Amino acid sequence: MSSSPILLGVNIDHAATLRQARYRSAATTCGGMIEPDPVELALAAERAGADGITVHLREDRRHIQERDVLRLRECIKTRLNLEMACTDAMVAFALKLKPEFACLVPENRTEVTTEGGLDVAGQRSRVRDTVAALTAAGIQTSLFIDPDAASLEAAAEMQSPFVELHTGAYANAYFTPAQAALELERLRSAAALGQRLGLTVNAGHGINYVNIAQIRTIAGLHELNIGHSILSRALFTGIEEAVREMKRRMH
Ligand code: PXP
């Protein structure tokens, strides 16, 4: 079990969701009256103690755009974590961008947000090749997976140093305490198994200012990726206070 404090990656996708709600057809993604600027938000999150910035460049470009990611690459001072589908186009983009981390996620155009973990066992050779290509370029890979033994074992075979456990089932069950307790146990067992398999274990999806009290008790987590809840809080408090408050609750 790691004794270092859990790190916080702030996912800023929904700053771009808000911008796209008004400026989807604008020729640029910032400048003039185009707001909010996710890059400015990322810099403020870093000033407040974010350990990294996470973005998901989705195939349908519904929120973050390529230009946002390129600007983040130039501007941020912490680490860039690119969430990406396992496609040739995204691999080519990541190899040019060279983020510190790339998290491989499943993608489905009809989903509101990432719904399940990556089916590693069902697409072994694609995941293995993607991990190998990114690793050769010096990008550390993570696989976003459901918290079960089969997914962890398949992930360990892929030679990816990191996994990110999908905490969505736990978060969705929060108001059904018996189910939430089961999901929390699944996360604990998965985190422990991941470590035994030599993986560094992150977690994310649906983590908020309330359930963080339980999530932080899962032994050995390295980093949490949190987006929606922090950005929602930021509407009331500003992003810097929202990040500081999450860090206080994490520790
Ligand atoms: N981690 C991954 C892999 C995700 O796809 C997402 C959602 O984009 C998150 C973390 C953040 O989830 P949330 O916005 O619910 O905090």
Side-chain angles (χ1 to χ4, degrees):
M1 169 182 162
S2 157
S3 57
S4 325
I6 308 178
L7 303 177
L8 173 62
V10 176
N11 180 315
I12 60 165
D13 290 348
H14 295 308
T17 302
L18 187 56
R19 179 194 61 202
Q20 297 304 97
R22 176 58 55 93
Y23 294 108
R24 186 178 302 274
S25 48
T28 58
T29 55
C30 63
M33 292 305 292
I34 297 176
E35 59 186 4
D37 180 2
V39 178
E40 288 298 332
L41 193 93
L43 296 176
E46 285 188 322
R47 285 197 295 276
D51 299 291
I53 300 298
T54 297
V55 283
H56 185 175
L57 184 64
R58 295 185 76 105
E59 189 198 4
D60 62 12
R61 304 295 193 264
R62 68 173 74 158
H63 40 53
I64 290 290
Q65 307 295 306
E66 281 185 32
R67 183 175 148 82
D68 296 320
V69 190
L70 297 171
R71 289 176 59 230
L72 285 167
R73 175 66 301 177
E74 277 185 21
C75 297
I76 67 168
K77 297 175 185 61
T78 56
R79 298 158 305 129
L80 182 59
N81 176 28
L82 178 69
E83 290 177 2
M84 54 177 269
C86 252
T87 62
D88 294 343
M90 279 311 305
V91 171
F93 180 77
L95 293 179
K96 268 196 298 175
L97 180 76
K98 293 211 188 327
E100 281 79 8
F101 299 99
C103 180
L104 304 183
V105 299
E107 221 174 88
N108 167 359
R109 272 181 180 249
T110 58
E111 68 192 357
V112 174
T113 182
T114 317
E115 278 165 2
L118 190 67
D119 176 18
V120 179
Q123 42 176 342
R124 275 189 161 76
S125 68
R126 175 159 282 275
V127 175
R128 199 191 307 274
D129 290 351
T130 303
V131 167
L134 296 172
T135 304
I139 301 165
Q140 301 213 68
T141 59
S142 179
L143 306 179
F144 184 54
I145 55 169
D146 290 324
D148 58 62
S151 299
L152 279 150
E153 279 154 13
E157 279 177 39
M158 299 294 117
Q159 310 279 319
S160 171
F162 291 82
V163 286
E164 180 172 326
L165 299 179
H166 194 323
T167 48
Y170 161 74
N172 289 338
Y174 190 80
F175 292 105
T176 316
Q179 186 62 29
L182 278 178
E183 294 293 347
L184 191 62
E185 277 320 302
R186 279 181 77 201
L187 287 165
R188 282 194 213 290
S189 310
L193 175 60
Q195 288 164 78
R196 287 200 299 281
L197 291 167
L199 296 159
T200 302
V201 181
N202 298 336
H205 208 97
I207 300 175
N208 59 38
Y209 291 85
V210 175
N211 65 28
I212 185 63
Q214 289 191 324
I215 291 283
R216 70 175 202 171
T217 66
I218 299 169
L221 291 180
H222 176 72
E223 180 167 85
L224 302 179
N225 277 303
I226 309 180
H228 189 269
S229 182
I230 290 180
L231 291 204
S232 301
R233 174 75 55 122
L235 293 175
F236 292 97
T237 67
I239 186 69
E240 298 195 25
E241 180 50 25
V243 169
R244 278 196 292 268
E245 178 61 14
M246 184 56 82
K247 288 214 85 166
R248 279 195 285 272
R249 293 185 190 213
M250 283 165 64
H251 305 135

